Amino acid sequence: MATIYEVSKLAGVSLATVSRVINNTAPVRASTKEKVEAAMQELGYRPNSVAQSLASNRSNSIGILVSELGGPFYGELLSRIESEFRAVGKHVIVAAGHSDAELERESIEFLRSRNCDALILHVESVSDDYLRGLADSGTPFVVINRHVAAVADRCITLDNELGGYLATHHLLERGHRSIAYVSGPMWKHDASERYKGHLRALKEFSLAEDKSLFFEGDFQETGGVHALHHFLDAKAKFTALVCANDEMASGAITVAHEVGLEVPAELAVVGFDNVNFSHYTYPKLTTVDYPIEAIGQMAARWVLKHVYQQPVPDLKAVFQPQLIPRDSA
Amino acid sequence: MATIYEVSKLAGVSLATVSRVINNTAPVRASTKEKVEAAMQELGYRPNSVAQSLASNRSNSIGILVSELGGPFYGELLSRIESEFRAVGKHVIVAAGHSDAELERESIEFLRSRNCDALILHVESVSDDYLRGLADSGTPFVVINRHVAAVADRCITLDNELGGYLATHHLLERGHRSIAYVSGPMWKHDASERYKGHLRALKEFSLAEDKSLFFEGDFQETGGVHALHHFLDAKAKFTALVCANDEMASGAITVAHEVGLEVPAELAVVGFDNVNFSHYTYPKLTTVDYPIEAIGQMAARWVLKHVYQQPVPDLKAVFQPQLIPRDSA
DNA sequence: GCTATAAATGAAAGCGCTTTCATCATAGGC
DNA sequence: GCCTATGATGAAAGCGCTTTCATTTATAGC
């Protein structure tokens, strides 16, 4: 691989000048520029990004930490973030935190030791305090899908409460009055927020919380399976089921088929997230759209603006979910 | 951030010695080692990985290029590769090629300019020649899901032909004799291989290829939708449908529901890949398992062995698919 | 045509680390 | 006890680039 030195020699200019034409960081006479570019062309020169990083104290890499690299949700997030950064020549280093505090912390350290210019974090387990400390340490980062008061200016979230409200409200509007709820782990912020929204909708229709119609699942398909079995075993009376994400909704629908409950005639089901397989279920899943790509894009733009000082259009911190009516409710 | 220099000063040793204890690259007296470690501890020292890379000509980063970062298939692949590398302190830079030759080439260049120590490529569009050239250029890389004769030693593939055979064979065994086939784009290696397997199975049952029962889809859900509509419109006679991937199978099942065709009683459907949503369909999809995680792991190990000289257990180049019988066929 | 100013360019000092080479200490072999 | 082989350590030269600072060259104003 040719180095900048060889380019400068071939072009008959100094290193500094070559660097200037590469980075367009200071005016260079047109004729000089051409000479340099010709030399680069001839040598097939490509700047060594590691050396650039060391000298400039900028790695042009952004670390992104999600719970799981697999799964529909994070895939779309990653996809969007990567393309945003790729377009400006920056690259993305990925890591998985697996919803575990220790692993999340370790992953963040890992990414930091990689000299990432910024981090985009989808963390569920580390404490608010930890994040505050991280902010104090000077590492630029933005948090997705979680509101942390101490670092509110770097949080990009969905109004989960509203989403929960929308899901239940949709059912109430269609006449359902006994609505079971399958939550995610309540220690997760989004799970508890969604449930709050559910309660608010009930209240609006003068319905009280019914603990026997609540089940705390795990945000996985099996959560939905267990939940429906649980409700059925307990002989609970309900005509509709709100699931705090699509995976669980899908599990519930599977069980409904197995026990011969017709969806939506005998049991209406609504999910949450609108992941890409949500219309593969039968019947197609009515769900609440989580604008994950828009959020990913916004996170990327936050970084572009605050770390790379690029001008970006309107930054937005809180996104509104939207109900997607399909066939299951 | 403390530098190695400060550590060396605090510990009262030279830079070289500190480097040795960090990298465990030469014997250091136990007492010296302790002093250095104490100093690192005290300063909260973390090596600057960029500087390490520049000096050692090793970035400890592996570039991975897939068609799409979203989607179930690649997510699992990424997930496995990341965890394999993470365990040994290496990191993964991701890029998407979108099945476009130009973009794939550009992504590879992008990754190369990032000084990746190795690349893991899932490329569909660049030519065999290009890959041969890449090999000649000295960049270590391994190719997933594609056999390229010129660089056969760096290809990790699935026996797609066998997979296609298995899918159709399953149907034939269950008595089906009119089997429609929805292929992926035939220019993609895996698509054409799968179809070959289909033909081999037919032949084994003395059945000839029937062009009217062939449809070339796009590996997307809509491909399955269009395919089934196409066959139905053409009044083709068939009792079973093989789809070259699960997305298309899912689309076909959706259409079957819409037109009142009962699956599998009136139309048996088998997919391919066994992506994680394949059991969310109704009825649950019978499909051919693509051991994507195992392949990802193998790719990672190939790199560990050939690039980082780490001892790894048995490397395997060709994986065998397996039929997963569920409810749709 | 000559100075004042701005535009281009070059020299050289790092960025934080690894690694060779040389040096010095230690320990065994006889 | 002396010599050699080996174990520990340090000095210093890079790795390929960016960036300040100084210098040179071009531009304009009069």
Side-chain angles (χ1 to χ4, degrees), chain A:
Chain A
M1 203 63 238
T3 71
I4 196 174
Y5 176 71
E6 301 169 45
V7 173
S8 79
K9 233 168 64 177
L10 181 58
V13 300
S14 72
L15 294 189
T17 300
V18 178
S19 175
R20 287 182 188 111
V21 350
I22 292 172
N23 299 295
N24 196 28
T25 180
V28 171
R29 199 188 312 161
S31 63
T32 314
K33 194 169 176 178
E34 275 165 30
K35 271 193 304 183
V36 172
E37 277 167 349
M40 295 201 297
Q41 186 76 39
E42 185 175 338
L43 294 170
Y45 172 76
R46 240 179 319 127
N48 178 323
S49 69
V50 172
Q52 287 182 311
S53 299
L54 183 60
S56 66
N57 202 24
R58 266 287 152 77
S59 68
N60 286 313
S61 69
I62 294 92
I64 143 155
L65 174 56
V66 294
S67 297
E68 304 297 337
L69 255 12
F73 194 77
Y74 301 111
E76 287 171 55
L77 178 67
L78 269 185
S79 177
R80 187 48 170 270
I81 294 179
E82 189 267 346
S83 67
E84 289 283 322
F85 284 127
R86 176 66 178 292
V88 292
K90 320 235 171 269
H91 70 264
V92 161
I93 299 179
V94 298
H98 302 292
S99 300
D100 175 86
E102 183 55 39
L103 274 175
E104 286 182 356
R105 232 177 291 121
E106 194 188 279
S107 298
I108 291 174
E109 283 312 306
F110 178 76
L111 259 13
R112 290 221 294 161
S113 80
R114 246 59 215 191
N115 292 71
C116 292
D117 293 337
L119 305 180
I120 294 179
L121 306 176
H122 183 291
V123 286
E124 307 182 300
S125 301
V126 293
S127 66
D128 286 11
D129 271 0
Y130 175 83
L131 291 173
R132 182 151 40 73
L134 187 61
D136 291 344
S137 82
T139 307
F141 68 89
V142 39
V143 175
I144 275 181
N145 193 31
R146 168 164 166 183
H147 181 78
V148 180
V151 293
D153 51 323
R154 356 179 132 199
C155 294
I156 297 177
T157 57
L158 179 76
D159 189 340
N160 279 295
E161 197 271 351
L162 176 59
Y165 171 85
L166 254 27
T168 299
H169 186 262
H170 174 77
L171 259 10
L172 289 165
E173 257 189 335
R174 311 201 139 204
H176 295 280
R177 287 298 177 273
S178 302
I179 303 174
Y181 190 93
V182 188
S183 170
M186 287 295 274
W187 62 266
K188 294 196 181 184
H189 306 69
D190 46 359
S192 59
E193 286 297 308
R194 289 172 191 187
Y195 186 58
K196 275 188 207 157
H198 166 72
L199 294 182
R200 175 159 68 90
L202 288 182
K203 200 163 176 187
E204 234 179 73
F205 279 70
S206 309
L207 262 23
E209 175 175 12
D210 181 350
K211 275 291 177 194
S212 72
L213 290 179
F214 175 86
F215 183 92
E216 184 170 333
D218 54 3
F219 272 153
Q220 319 254 37
E221 191 190 5
T222 49
V225 170
H226 293 148
L228 190 46
H229 278 308
H230 164 80
F231 290 135
L232 259 19
D233 290 350
K235 307 237 184 291
K237 293 275 173 241
F238 59 104
T239 59
L241 187 66
V242 174
C243 298
N245 78 351
D246 291 345
E247 271 88 348
M248 297 197 297
S250 157
I253 288 180
T254 300
V255 173
H257 283 139
E258 284 169 7
V259 302
L261 262 178
E262 204 173 311
V263 178
E266 299 172 90
L267 177 66
V269 177
V270 9
F272 202 118
D273 283 350
N274 192 27
V275 298
N276 55 15
F277 68 72
S278 63
H279 55 284
Y280 290 174
T281 61
Y282 180 74
K284 291 179 180 173
L285 192 62
T286 291
T287 188
V288 176
D289 184 54
Y290 192 124
I292 184 66
E293 293 208 28
I295 289 186
Q297 179 183 53
M298 201 51 64
R301 288 193 178 162
W302 189 98
V303 171
L304 253 20
K305 171 169 180 174
H306 290 97
V307 179
Y308 297 113
Q309 281 77 43
Q310 296 200 3
V312 300
D314 45 313
L315 249 35
K316 187 175 163 186
V318 181
F319 284 72
Q320 307 301 320
Q322 208 182 333
L323 190 97
I324 309 290
R326 284 198 277 251
D327 306 333
S328 71

Side-chain angles (χ1 to χ4, degrees), chain B residues 4 19 23 45 48 55:
Chain B
I4 196 174
S19 175
N23 300 295
Y45 171 77
N48 178 322

